[in-house]
Amino acid sequence: MKSIKILNPSYYTTIQDNGRKKYQNNGIPISGSIDLTSNILCNYLVGNPKNYPVIESSYSGLEIQFNDNILFSITGAETTQYLNNKKIDNYTCHLAKKNDILKISKIINGFRYYIGLSGLIESDVYLSSRSTYEKIQIGGFKGRRLNKNDVLKIDLQKINYSLINNNINPNKIIKNYLTNEVRIIESLEIERFTKESLNNFYNSDFEVTNSSDRMGMRLKGDKIINKDKSDIISSPIYPGIIQIPKNGNPIIMLNDCQTTGGYARLGCVIRCDMHILAQKKPGDYLRFKKINLIDAKKEYLRQIKIINNLFKKNDRYNIKINDKIYYVEVEEIENGKNR
Amino acid sequence: MIFFEINENTFILEISKKIDEKINGLIIKLNKILLNREDILNTIISYNSILIEYDCEKISFEYLKTNISNILSTIHTNNLIIKDIIEIPVCYEKEFAIDIEYVADYNKITTDQVIKIHTERLYRVYFIGFTPGFPYLGAIDKRIETPRLETPRKKIPSGSVGIADNQTGIYPIDSPGGWRIIGRTPFKLYNKNKFQYPCFLKPGNYIKFCSINKIEFQRLEMII
């Protein structure tokens, strides 16, 4: 079994996968990587299936020591990082050798970054997911954030050296997160809000406050006025939904959010823009823009297709025939027929 | 019945505006059917609505809308059967009930009357939400309805029984909360080691509270 050791855990570093779905009727949040596309891409780069767990962190300072030769990748925020003393690129697959030290020394843009390791990070599976949810200590590494000197074991059959320098340009798949603009679909209690405050909602900036976390982003800006002045009966909420409590300051739900809530809901951030939210830190600004469902659905399907195509080509093997080694890519063929 | 599409592949179906046992029963049955399907990625139920995330590579919203309307027309909820009433012991003594005097004063009754009224009724578990295992129970007698705290408390101990307007509920784990606390149960409502069914209560269950004293509370706490 290979392993890595956490030398410096930075601020809040957890193991996350694509979340714990179909268990929300037990009151359990979805959890999982807030920037799901970055999670998927960092698995792609190291040759893992797309739902494998990765390391999610924010703020600079994370330091990892590799105890074996391991392939890794860094995605998400634009970061400066060093492997030993050599500056390396993100969105690229690198080979770390035994005793190498990776350090994320600076975040240039964005907030959350992801580290993918080739192989499966040994972690707790709870209700079909390895995502950490600290409140009830489930998933991830003993149900908690990573601390100094934690050793993560990695189950890996064989290193695929052909993946080294494998890289990807995320902007071909997702909208650049450097924008402050997130697109939303209006729905639910939208009619409860005054015309004037909705006008302000789309034409002013909202600051991300420091009481934001993986549960939700609390914003500050023009107050959104609820005509009814009342709450709703407790109803489902979901990552991306914008709730407006009585104080008029919007809260955007994120992956660790409660399953139901009682504040009026104005609408929801589209899936294709969730990664923009994930990359905003306290003090950053957001601006909302309305989008219609037809356009949003088209864009989302296109994104799914690109990602699926990436993984179709992700089964790569070295095979040995008559003592000669061949490198092959395995691709699934539709209906089992040759194309 | 309104369908709200909230994002590219998720919608919320609101069957009614009010809290009603039959409508909630319909939602629970619909949810059971949908959760078994592979083209449904996730659901969340509440009193009167259900959130549905679907696999948009396999099916469309238009298909699901017709499909769900068809399923709903086959579900019968005419006979509401109340079986297996679960008794939940609660200690209403002051130590565990920081707001019981407020609830009594607010409603101009005595704390003994609050206990009597709270333990009289049969409550339906409408859904589990908020935190792992938190049951939304209702509806409570008008004589003890009390609004939430203006500012929620940072930590409510697990087992605390609270009131918020016409609802009552139990905090399964230590968590922040704004409900008025009138007692505490030694029962564990969320057991994370019971893998497939970590919640003690299920939507559609009926419960009744019974008053116990502190000695009984401690004895039960020891054996549970």
Side-chain angles (χ1 to χ4, degrees):
Chain A
M1 192 76 79
K2 292 174 183 288
S3 71
I4 62 164
K5 185 175 165 184
I6 305 295
L7 300 183
N8 181 340
S10 184
Y11 171 65
Y12 189 82
T13 303
T14 54
I15 293 171
Q16 300 291 345
D17 60 13
N18 58 359
R20 189 171 280 117
K21 281 188 181 172
K22 288 201 171 178
Y23 297 97
Q24 279 57 62
N25 293 311
N26 293 310
I28 296 167
I30 297 168
S31 301
S33 299
I34 309 267
D35 184 346
L36 193 57
T37 322
S38 291
N39 167 317
I40 290 170
L41 293 183
C42 95
N43 274 321
Y44 161 75
L45 289 166
V46 296
N48 286 342
K50 68 178 165 196
N51 59 350
Y52 263 31
V54 302
I55 295 170
E56 178 185 281
S57 191
S58 53
Y59 297 105
S60 58
L62 182 72
E63 226 176 306
I64 292 171
Q65 180 187 299
F66 294 88
N67 296 332
D68 299 273
N69 294 358
I70 291 170
L71 296 177
F72 71 95
S73 63
I74 304 156
T75 63
E78 190 188 334
T79 47
T80 304
Q81 54 270 317
Y82 293 87
L83 186 61
N84 300 328
N85 291 315
K86 196 181 155 228
K87 201 170 164 179
I88 56 167
D89 290 334
N90 56 6
Y91 287 96
T92 305
C93 179
H94 301 281
L95 173 68
K97 298 221 171 78
K98 193 177 170 161
N99 295 327
D100 279 358
I101 290 171
L102 169 71
K103 188 176 178 184
I104 309 295
S105 62
K106 199 178 166 192
I107 296 185
I108 300 161
N109 274 307
F111 185 40
R112 293 186 171 90
Y113 53 92
Y114 294 83
I115 296 175
L117 302 160
S118 65
L120 181 65
I121 303 171
E122 279 224 319
S123 40
D124 298 345
V125 180
Y126 186 76
L127 298 178
S128 315
S129 167
R130 295 174 186 271
S131 290
T132 311
Y133 178 57
E134 264 194 334
K135 251 184 211 150
I136 51 168
Q137 288 124 46
I138 56 171
F141 187 83
K142 299 176 182 171
R144 62 162 170 82
R145 70 189 78 183
L146 298 175
N147 292 335
K148 191 179 171 169
N149 293 331
D150 282 345
V151 173
L152 303 184
K153 288 180 183 163
I154 293 147
D155 194 353
L156 177 66
Q157 300 299 325
K158 199 168 177 278
I159 289 183
N160 184 347
Y161 290 98
S162 69
L163 287 173
I164 300 170
N165 294 327
N166 187 20
N167 61 66
I168 194 162
N169 177 358
N171 297 333
K172 285 189 175 152
I173 300 163
I174 47 175
K175 205 171 136 186
N176 195 320
Y177 61 78
L178 290 176
T179 176
N180 288 342
E181 184 185 274
V182 289
R183 292 164 296 172
I184 71 158
I185 289 163
E186 292 184 343
S187 67
L188 299 159
E189 288 80 46
I190 184 78
E191 278 151 27
R192 288 192 176 211
F193 304 102
T194 62
K195 244 193 184 148
E196 196 196 344
S197 58
L198 281 179
N199 195 32
N200 293 341
F201 179 72
Y202 290 114
N203 291 299
S204 62
D205 290 330
F206 286 88
E207 188 188 338
V208 179
T209 68
N210 56 15
S211 43
S212 304
D213 54 20
R214 281 182 48 91
M215 280 178 77
M217 292 175 87
R218 291 172 178 271
L219 308 179
K220 202 171 73 187
D222 271 330
K223 300 261 190 285
I224 312 302
I225 312 298
N226 184 339
K227 281 180 280 190
D228 293 7
K229 288 197 171 86
S230 65
D231 291 338
I232 56 169
I233 63 168
S234 289
S235 298
I237 52 176
Y238 220 51
I241 279 193
I242 303 164
Q243 284 192 320
I244 313 288
K246 283 196 188 108
N247 65 18
N249 291 322
I251 308 170
I252 312 178
M253 300 297 115
L254 294 179
N255 297 40
D256 282 353
C257 71
Q258 297 166 198
T259 56
T260 56
Y263 299 136
R265 301 156 296 178
L266 185 155
C268 189
V269 175
I270 60 169
R271 287 192 179 279
C272 287
D273 284 358
M274 286 301 285
H275 69 285
I276 300 172
L277 293 182
Q279 295 303 347
K280 295 288 177 251
K281 61 181 178 300
D284 285 348
Y285 286 89
L286 283 177
R287 192 174 264 253
F288 297 102
K289 192 187 169 189
K290 217 187 320 190
I291 182 176
N292 68 60
L293 265 164
I294 297 170
D295 291 343
K297 283 182 180 179
K298 233 184 255 167
E299 190 174 328
Y300 185 53
L301 275 171
R302 183 190 139 263
Q303 192 175 306
I304 293 177
K305 215 171 244 172
I306 298 174
I307 289 171
N308 285 347
N309 281 336
L310 283 178
F311 281 87
K312 265 187 189 161
K313 290 184 185 144
N314 215 13
D315 293 324
R316 298 164 237 206
Y317 300 94
N318 290 314
I319 60 166
K320 202 170 167 185
I321 302 172
N322 295 335
D323 285 335
K324 243 181 143 179
I325 292 173
Y326 296 87
Y327 167 64
V328 296
E329 284 185 352
V330 176
E331 187 179 343
E332 199 181 299
I333 300 167
E334 262 171 60
N335 305 324
K337 283 178 202 153
N338 259 325
R339 270 184 294 196
Chain B
M1 201 161 85
I2 315 170
F3 289 86
F4 295 99
E5 287 191 86
I6 62 162
N7 69 19
E8 297 94 317
N9 71 335
T10 313
F11 62 90
I12 291 174
L13 165 61
E14 196 178 272
I15 296 190
S16 152
K17 284 271 175 217
K18 54 177 190 200
I19 298 177
D20 179 282
E21 300 197 349
K22 276 188 187 168
I23 285 160
N24 180 248
L26 197 66
I27 284 169
I28 293 169
K29 284 185 183 168
L30 173 66
N31 185 49
K32 269 189 192 144
I33 296 167
L34 294 178
L35 269 183
N36 284 323
R37 282 168 53 166
E38 273 190 19
D39 52 5
I40 302 296
L41 302 180
N42 204 3
T43 67
I44 300 177
I45 64 164
S46 67
Y47 289 109
N48 56 357
S49 48
I50 176 168
L51 174 144
I52 297 164
E53 182 190 343
Y54 58 94
D55 185 343
C56 59
E57 284 185 287
K58 292 198 180 104
I59 48 172
S60 68
F61 169 69
E62 289 70 27
Y63 163 80
L64 258 182
K65 197 176 166 183
T66 319
N67 179 236
I68 284 171
S69 305
N70 289 341
I71 296 171
L72 283 175
S73 66
T74 65
I75 300 174
H76 301 286
T77 52
N78 293 336
N79 309 313
L80 204 66
I81 308 157
I82 298 175
K83 48 181 182 183
D84 304 332
I85 296 162
I86 300 160
E87 242 187 36
I88 296 184
V90 175
C91 177
Y92 292 91
E93 286 178 32
K94 225 176 160 184
E95 186 187 340
F96 300 138
I98 35 176
D99 297 319
I100 198 163
E101 276 182 11
Y102 181 89
V103 172
D105 292 348
Y106 183 86
N107 289 291
K108 301 188 176 68
I109 52 175
T110 65
T111 54
D112 280 347
Q113 282 171 306
V114 173
I115 298 166
K116 187 172 171 284
I117 295 167
H118 193 250
T119 50
E120 244 167 28
R121 266 205 193 174
L122 205 57
Y123 299 110
R124 178 182 176 88
V125 180
Y126 281 91
F127 62 98
I128 309 288
F130 178 55
T131 58
F134 188 104
Y136 281 79
L137 309 166
I140 62 171
D141 195 303
K142 278 211 163 2
R143 290 172 292 168
I144 53 170
E145 282 185 11
T146 315
R148 289 177 177 82
L149 290 167
E150 290 262 313
T151 312
R153 292 192 178 95
K154 287 226 164 74
K155 192 181 165 189
I156 304 287
S158 71
S160 294
V161 177
I163 286 178
D165 301 322
N166 63 348
Q167 315 168 93
T168 180
I170 308 161
Y171 287 86
I173 56 171
D174 291 353
S175 62
W179 293 30
R180 306 279 175 180
I181 305 304
I182 59 163
R184 195 183 298 174
T185 175
F187 277 17
K188 299 277 168 273
L189 265 72
Y190 189 83
N191 182 348
K192 70 173 181 179
N193 299 322
K194 285 186 179 167
F195 288 112
Q196 286 310 311
Y197 301 101
C199 296
F200 179 68
L201 297 172
K202 278 198 211 57
N205 284 161
Y206 282 84
I207 71 131
K208 203 169 186 301
F209 291 114
C210 62
S211 175
I212 56 168
N213 62 35
K214 203 178 153 188
I215 295 159
E216 289 167 310
F217 179 94
Q218 284 162 341
R219 197 184 306 138
L220 281 168
E221 205 178 28
M222 296 266 283
I223 54 170
I224 290 166

